[in-house]
């Protein structure tokens, strides 16, 4: 009977969770003035669904797996030898609620938890842009930086959305070390480019991870500024293209730099 009751609890939680995900899709519509009312219902449904029992049985096992989501607390020693305890159910529950409310899922590494907060990953921004119906192409170049510890990767973003065609460029500055491969660096730069595109279209900035956070695979760490967002919003539709160029040669405009993690 206990097992049967447990299945009933999980089934009911699944129903509420799926309904919340469906309602959250309405929040992805740009300039949706009724979004606040929908958001209240989504959060209420999620809090009902994500009981401690459901979190323990369904969602906590997804933590620190690429099938689920990664965090900066994985139970392994850091460079200084310290081991941070794994995140608790309340922290993970709040992160899942934040993620689902903006259209992300707790599977497929669509978000990470860094310093107790939820941050969309490259896969997460891919999912968000797809839900908006944005068609885009990102040309990610290679590291052209000269500063130790940071790579500077030019990215050109071309997109079509609601009949609007445009393009702009950024230089993604991302943290690197002696073990960073070119593919890892370009992957971080691609995330930065997708983040810039999503923020330009929606005006929504979900922030970036604190540089003091502990390491987590495929997540970047330096505090973000909004140089690129301001530049894009002011100039992207002014009749020209923000070309990422070659360090300002050939008369092209050198792109604004956005500090990356």
């Amino acid at each position: 009977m206990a097992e049967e009751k447990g299945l009933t609890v999980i089934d009911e939680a699944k129903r509420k969770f799926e309904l919340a995900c469906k309602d959250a899709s309405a929040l992805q519509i740009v300039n949706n003035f009724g979004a606040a009312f929908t958001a209240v219902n989504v959060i209420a449904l999620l809090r009902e669904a994500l009981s401690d029992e459901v979190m323990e049985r369904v969602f906590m096992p997804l933590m620190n797996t690429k099938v689920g989501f990664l965090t900066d607390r994985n139970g392994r020693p850091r460079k200084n030898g310290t081991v941070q305890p794994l995140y608790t159910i309340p922290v993970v529950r709040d992160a899942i609620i934040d993620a689902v409310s903006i259209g992300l899922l707790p599977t497929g590494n669509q978000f990470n938890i860094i310093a107790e907060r939820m941050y969309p990953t490259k896969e997460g921004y891919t999912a968000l842009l797809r839900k908006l119906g944005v068609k885009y192409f990102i040309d990610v170049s290679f590291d052209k930086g000269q500063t130790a510890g940071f790579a500077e990767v030019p990215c050109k973003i071309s997109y079509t959305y609601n009949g609007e065609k445009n393009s702009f460029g950024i230089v993604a500055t991302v943290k690197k070390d002696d073990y960073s491969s070119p593919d890892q660096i370009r992957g971080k730069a691609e995330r930065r480019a997708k983040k810039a595109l999503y923020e330009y279209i929606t005006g929504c900035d979900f922030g970036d991870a604190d540089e003091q956070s502990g390491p987590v695979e495929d997540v970047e760490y330096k505090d973000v500024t909004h140089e690129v967002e301001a530049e894009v919003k002011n100039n992207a539709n002014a009749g020209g293209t923000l070309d990422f160029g070659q360090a300002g040669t050939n008369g092209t405009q050198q792109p604004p730099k956005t500090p990356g993690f």
Side-chain angles (χ1 to χ4, degrees):
M1 289 296 292
E3 181 180 353
E4 201 173 294
K5 180 180 178 182
L7 288 175
T8 301
V9 169
I10 297 299
D11 288 343
E12 179 63 13
K14 180 181 177 182
R15 183 188 69 80
K16 291 180 179 179
F17 187 82
E18 290 175 344
L19 182 58
C21 291
K22 183 178 179 180
D23 288 347
S25 64
L27 297 175
Q28 305 310 305
I29 301 174
V30 179
N31 296 326
N32 178 0
F33 299 107
F37 297 94
T38 304
V40 170
N41 291 331
V42 168
I43 292 172
L45 270 174
L46 289 172
R47 291 214 174 273
E48 289 178 15
L50 302 180
S51 65
D52 285 359
E53 178 184 356
V54 171
M55 288 295 300
E56 187 67 41
R57 294 182 58 182
V58 179
F59 293 99
M60 298 303 283
L62 294 174
M63 184 167 60
N64 295 318
T65 71
K66 284 202 169 184
V67 173
F69 51 92
L70 301 178
T71 80
D72 60 346
R73 294 190 181 184
N74 53 25
R76 295 194 293 269
R78 296 184 176 180
K79 291 182 180 179
N80 60 8
T82 62
V83 178
Q84 292 277 21
L86 297 178
Y87 281 123
T88 61
I89 284 177
V91 171
V92 177
R93 177 164 43 225
D94 286 347
I96 291 175
I97 289 173
D98 287 344
V100 171
S101 296
I102 64 172
L104 299 176
L105 295 175
T107 53
N109 197 37
Q110 292 190 10
F111 69 89
N112 291 154
I113 304 176
I114 311 294
E116 300 191 2
R117 291 184 59 191
M118 183 282 299
Y119 296 96
T121 62
K122 179 180 71 174
E123 294 84 356
Y125 279 112
T126 300
L128 293 174
L129 289 167
R130 183 183 299 117
K131 288 181 179 181
L132 285 175
V134 183
K135 298 185 182 301
Y136 61 91
F137 176 78
I138 299 176
D139 183 7
V140 181
S141 186
F142 294 92
D143 179 15
K144 301 183 184 301
Q146 302 296 321
T147 304
F150 292 94
E152 295 181 358
V153 183
C155 302
K156 184 174 182 179
I157 306 163
S158 303
Y159 72 92
T160 301
Y161 177 66
N162 280 352
E164 173 191 13
K165 293 184 179 180
N166 201 11
S167 64
F168 60 91
I170 67 169
V171 172
T173 304
V174 299
K175 190 173 182 180
K176 69 176 182 179
D177 56 31
D178 293 339
Y179 302 99
S180 299
S181 70
D183 285 345
Q184 288 173 329
I185 291 171
R186 295 178 79 238
K188 291 180 178 182
E190 182 183 346
R191 177 197 180 273
R192 171 100 25 211
K194 290 181 177 180
K195 179 178 186 292
L197 176 58
Y198 182 81
E199 289 174 5
Y200 168 61
I201 290 174
T202 66
C204 296
D205 179 4
F206 301 130
D208 279 321
D210 190 310
E211 62 181 347
Q212 301 303 319
S213 302
V216 56
E217 186 179 0
D218 294 334
V219 179
E220 304 151 341
Y221 303 99
K222 191 174 177 62
D223 282 328
V224 69
T225 64
H226 301 288
E227 295 175 22
V228 65
E229 289 87 348
E231 182 72 12
V232 169
K233 289 174 182 177
N234 290 336
N235 298 304
N237 290 314
T241 296
L242 292 174
D243 194 288
F244 67 91
Q246 293 292 330
T249 60
N250 300 325
T252 58
Q253 178 180 355
Q254 190 174 8
K257 294 183 179 180
T258 174
F261 344 70

